[in-house]
Amino acid sequence: MRQIALVLFLLLLSGCGAARTTAPDTRFYTLEYDPPAVPGERTDAVISLNRFGVAPEYNTAKIVYRDLSFGRQEYHYHQWRGTPQSLAADYLRRDLQASGLFLAVAGTGSSLPATHRIEGMVEEWMEVDGQDRWLATAELTVTLVDLRAGTIPDAVLFQRTYRESEPSGKKNPGSVVEAMSRVMRALSARIIADVHAAVSR
């Protein structure tokens, strides 16, 4: 009887093992695009970037999507390599540097003395699912501060909100990431042009 019970127990264990399913691998994504070309004369401004803030619902590395009004969902197995605020700040820093319009561009923690500082806030960073198409959409609020100014009104050169959306080629997270790369490139070009115009004055 003991041998029969042992055989039944082993069969039960093997049956449970066959029924068990493995979770899919998590896919990690980042932005990929060439820095935008922004025309203009080089200035002597040294730009520093503060860490960007983010609206609470987007403070996650998971890709957030909206499939219904007021609804926000997250993919469990599709994630960004960093949070939206870190991606936006880092790519903007890279693009500012690549533009060649400024004497130097420094990130958070740099000891380089700066003439101007950029502060940012990620207001929106998500996939928007529609019946006909999916969109990648992002909204950034950027504040440019003149660190040489003596008073607050003179120090704030501008505070502007930038928003862009791009359709994805297919209805899947990978295509949305590709569209978000185009979104960030467009946002970056607009922000760099405005920063350059402000510091040139």
Side-chain angles (χ1 to χ4, degrees):
M1 287 295 288
R2 286 182 180 177
Q3 289 179 339
I4 294 173
L6 179 61
V7 170
L8 289 174
F9 179 69
L10 291 173
L11 286 174
L12 182 63
L13 283 179
S14 64
C16 290
R20 189 181 298 126
T21 57
T22 58
D25 292 335
T26 301
R27 301 290 301 270
F28 293 95
Y29 303 88
T30 191
L31 302 173
E32 287 187 10
Y33 66 88
D34 293 329
V38 182
E41 297 291 327
R42 183 178 178 181
T43 69
D44 290 333
V46 177
I47 310 293
S48 69
L49 273 77
N50 268 13
R51 286 189 178 90
F52 280 18
V54 64
E57 59 264 43
Y58 306 109
N59 191 20
T60 176
K62 293 180 179 178
I63 295 178
V64 175
Y65 65 94
R66 187 187 77 188
D67 55 352
L68 297 169
S69 296
F70 306 104
R72 298 291 184 274
Q73 312 297 330
E74 296 176 347
Y75 289 106
H76 291 291
Y77 305 111
H78 298 277
Q79 298 187 24
W80 294 105
R81 270 289 177 191
T83 57
Q85 63 269 34
S86 62
L87 288 172
D90 191 56
Y91 276 85
L92 179 59
R93 179 202 54 76
R94 183 203 70 167
D95 295 346
L96 283 160
Q97 193 170 4
S99 73
L101 297 176
F102 311 99
L103 183 62
V105 179
T108 303
S110 173
S111 59
L112 186 67
T115 59
H116 298 80
R117 183 177 68 238
I118 291 175
E119 300 181 3
M121 179 76 178
V122 178
E123 311 285 0
E124 194 171 88
W125 188 278
M126 67 174 174
E127 166 192 313
V128 179
D129 296 353
Q131 271 192 328
D132 299 329
R133 61 180 183 175
W134 288 7
L135 297 173
T137 182
E139 184 176 299
L140 306 180
T141 296
V142 171
T143 306
L144 179 63
V145 179
D146 187 341
L147 299 176
R148 304 163 301 179
T151 63
I152 294 297
D154 294 331
V156 179
L157 298 184
F158 70 75
Q159 183 177 77
R160 293 173 190 156
T161 299
Y162 302 82
R163 183 182 174 84
E164 292 283 346
S165 292
E166 283 282 341
S168 64
K170 297 178 182 179
K171 293 182 177 181
N172 61 54
S175 293
V176 171
V177 170
E178 186 180 349
M180 188 64 86
S181 295
R182 298 195 301 272
V183 165
M184 188 61 210
R185 189 177 193 272
L187 288 170
S188 192
R190 291 171 58 191
I191 294 168
I192 292 169
D194 286 354
V195 170
H196 180 258
V199 301
S200 295
R201 290 195 295 267

